[in-house]
Amino acid sequence: MPALLALAMGLWGAGRLSLWRDEAITSEIARRSVPDILRCARHIDAVHAAYYLFMHGVVQVFGTGELALRLPSIAALAATAAGVTVLGRRIVSGAAGLVAGVICAGAPFASHYAHEARSYSLVAALTVWLTVLLVDLAERGSPRRYAAYGAGIALLGLVHLFALLILPAHLVTLLMTRRTRTMLRRWSAASAGALVAVSPLIALAATQRNALDWLTRPGWRDVRFLAESFTGPRIVAYVLGAAMAVGLATARRRGPIGVQALAVPWLLLPAAVLLLASQFHPVFTGRYVIGSLPAMALLAAAGLARLPYRAWVVPLVAMAVLVAPLHVEQRRPENWWDDLRGAAAIVEREARPGDAIVFVTADRRSIAEAYPDAFRGLHDVTLRRTPAQAGNFGGTEFAPAEIDRRVAGAAATRVWLLEGPWRMPSLAPRDRAKVDVLQRHFRQAGAWRVRGITLSLFQREKVRPPMQHPRPGGVSSP
């Protein structure tokens, strides 16, 4: 039942939302051939290469519509709710499993990432089911199960490297429950094998760490924001916090691993490691620890399940009423990250055959790759090599002097400029060359702004013909 609820929550409104810039990159790279995806991984975004390869198969079957691209994330939310239900039933009670699954399925943070064509929902699903497998190992470990656990950890690392922080959490769980030396030795061997398997990706990702330069050093405000993201509105946070406190104090162990030993390290350790590391080199953002959300649901469910027979329905219904407005708001297109579909619709409506287009910055070109029909017929005048050929997101552009020459000498009388919501005060030389040549040789004939995108249409200045003098005899030249 929680899986079906999660599926319904994921499907609700998923097709109404435009792709945003990160999803546009998913759409654009997933369309490439497998060799092109691997070549891109050598230059940029290696940590998502496995996800792009997976999505390559998805688009071959379902296409590149918004809903089609988000289907794997929606299915992953359902798998996450199912997994946490199984965990709750195994280590606490049937009621706790049901409540944990419902909390997870109804969490706004979870359904938000179910609506993104990115890897984060898959991370949550894999993390939950690997934790189910950990409980299996504690009950009846076998070489086949340890091998499956190691393979699963390797797959999790390929999907997102930071998700490997579940390993120290699992280790703390095993130490807290005083597992046998034999189990610890076998678990360590399986985990080490997984780390060796993903070590080439770790080494490659270390050379691309500038991809995280947009992150800033987190503080207490970020910790509070993460807690609110997991729980929802403040009153819901109080209810869940009280339930977690009760679960910590009163939940009884059912099986070899108790909910406290499992959920507390799982909930706290990944975020704590990233927050601490970010004091030296920022690597933290909330979605990187989405795999810990089920631990919150599990711990809260352990507390709510201590209520008298089925009395837990009352707080669940109350929380559902309280988070409903947040779910509605998050599904409104006007509240989404970017309106790339709106920008594409403007180009499709206003552009004429033979128009040229320039992008500031080059990676904004992914919008045209995500919605190619709207941009068909426009001449990308500054592009030297396509993104697929260059193995990156924005392609390779000409040098600034050549950009100036090509735009000024283009046959097109109209040029579109597609850029972010605001122009940076200091642009890179290539981008500065684009803006300068448009301002020198063209006049702005129109401007449109949607969320995340500004579109400007430039019309070539008409050159006045030289003044002509009348010919002898008083007859003017035609």
Side-chain angles (χ1 to χ4, degrees):
M1 191 273 283
L4 291 175
L5 173 63
L7 191 63
M9 296 297 290
L11 290 170
W12 173 25
R16 296 176 57 220
L17 301 170
S18 165
L19 299 180
W20 75 288
R21 69 197 75 168
D22 282 10
E23 292 181 291
I25 290 172
T26 296
S27 174
E28 190 261 313
I29 296 185
R31 296 168 190 256
R32 300 181 187 180
S33 66
V34 171
D36 283 342
I37 294 174
L38 295 176
R39 182 165 57 250
C40 179
R42 290 198 297 270
H43 295 93
I44 191 171
D45 224 16
V47 293
H48 293 299
Y51 175 69
Y52 294 143
L53 289 169
F54 167 68
M55 291 301 295
H56 175 76
V58 170
V59 301
Q60 302 303 309
V61 178
F62 297 104
T64 55
E66 287 94 342
L67 180 58
L69 287 168
R70 292 167 179 152
L71 279 176
S73 295
I74 294 168
L77 174 60
T80 302
V84 78
T85 303
V86 170
L87 268 177
R89 189 173 61 210
R90 292 275 295 275
I91 67 174
V92 186
S93 66
L98 179 61
V99 173
V102 170
I103 292 174
C104 195
F109 191 71
S111 62
H112 174 91
Y113 287 102
H115 288 162
E116 282 200 7
R118 300 296 284 171
S119 62
Y120 304 108
S121 277
L122 275 68
V123 166
L126 286 169
T127 302
V128 168
W129 284 100
L130 281 166
T131 306
V132 172
L133 188 51
L134 180 76
V135 174
D136 274 344
L137 294 177
E139 291 180 350
R140 50 187 186 278
S142 67
R144 182 176 297 178
R145 283 191 171 90
Y146 280 105
Y149 179 85
I153 291 293
L155 177 61
L156 179 64
L158 290 174
V159 173
H160 203 280
L161 282 179
F162 288 154
L164 291 174
L165 289 172
I166 193 61
L167 279 178
H170 281 179
L171 176 59
V172 171
T173 295
L174 295 178
L175 294 174
M176 289 176 67
T177 52
R178 298 181 181 179
R179 294 293 91 202
T180 65
R181 290 184 179 180
T182 300
M183 181 181 179
L184 286 171
R185 186 170 61 251
R186 290 176 178 175
W187 177 89
S188 299
S191 302
L195 292 176
V196 169
V198 299
S199 58
L201 176 61
I202 295 172
L204 181 58
T207 68
Q208 300 175 1
R209 59 183 180 273
N210 60 329
L212 298 177
D213 285 349
W214 60 277
L215 293 172
T216 57
R217 182 182 298 174
W220 287 111
R221 180 182 295 180
D222 298 274
V223 176
R224 187 174 68 250
F225 181 75
L226 177 64
E228 292 173 353
S229 298
F230 272 26
T231 59
R234 184 169 297 180
I235 188 168
V236 176
Y238 292 150
V239 173
L240 288 175
M244 292 190 331
V246 172
L248 275 171
T250 66
R252 298 171 183 170
R253 190 165 77 178
R254 182 182 184 181
I257 295 180
V259 65
Q260 298 95 332
L262 184 70
V264 173
W266 182 7
L267 176 62
L268 299 180
L269 209 151
V273 170
L274 286 184
L275 285 166
L276 181 61
S278 294
Q279 304 309 308
F280 304 95
H281 183 83
V283 291
F284 173 83
T285 186
R287 60 181 178 264
Y288 291 170
V289 292
I290 189 174
S292 295
L293 177 67
M296 181 273 294
L298 194 62
L299 201 54
L304 291 174
R306 299 295 292 170
L307 293 172
Y309 183 66
R310 293 187 180 176
W312 41 261
V313 172
V314 176
L316 280 184
V317 171
M319 286 189 289
V321 171
L322 291 168
V323 300
L326 187 55
H327 279 290
V328 172
E329 287 299 308
Q330 143 178 314
R331 286 164 174 78
R332 294 186 188 277
E334 61 268 22
N335 294 333
W336 199 232
W337 295 107
D338 299 310
D339 186 12
L340 307 190
R341 183 169 57 194
I346 292 170
V347 172
E348 189 170 30
R349 183 180 69 245
E350 302 289 341
R352 299 175 187 171
D355 285 359
I357 189 167
V358 297
F359 296 90
V360 174
T361 57
D363 56 6
R364 297 283 175 179
R365 198 168 270 109
S366 61
I367 300 170
E369 300 283 345
Y371 293 99
D373 292 342
F375 293 83
R376 190 166 287 120
L378 297 183
H379 179 38
D380 193 344
V381 70
T382 66
L383 183 65
R384 183 177 181 181
R385 298 173 68 205
T386 67
Q389 292 169 341
N392 60 20
F393 299 153
T396 301
E397 297 185 324
F398 291 100
E402 181 65 11
I403 286 174
D404 187 288
R405 189 189 67 79
R406 290 176 66 85
V407 175
T413 58
R414 298 175 6 133
V415 180
W416 291 86
L417 172 64
L418 189 154
E419 56 188 330
W422 53 82
R423 188 172 301 161
M424 296 174 61
S426 176
L427 294 173
R430 281 187 174 85
D431 295 323
R432 174 56 60 192
K434 300 169 194 174
V435 174
D436 287 348
V437 70
L438 287 173
Q439 292 176 341
R440 286 200 317 271
H441 296 279
F442 297 79
R443 61 176 177 82
Q444 187 168 328
W448 298 262
R449 179 169 291 182
V450 297
R451 266 184 339 282
I453 297 295
T454 298
L455 284 161
S456 303
L457 175 62
F458 287 84
Q459 184 88 29
R460 189 179 295 276
E461 292 279 10
K462 292 183 179 179
V463 179
R464 290 187 177 184
M467 184 177 293
Q468 299 183 4
H469 301 283
R471 294 179 179 178
V475 180
S476 300
S477 61

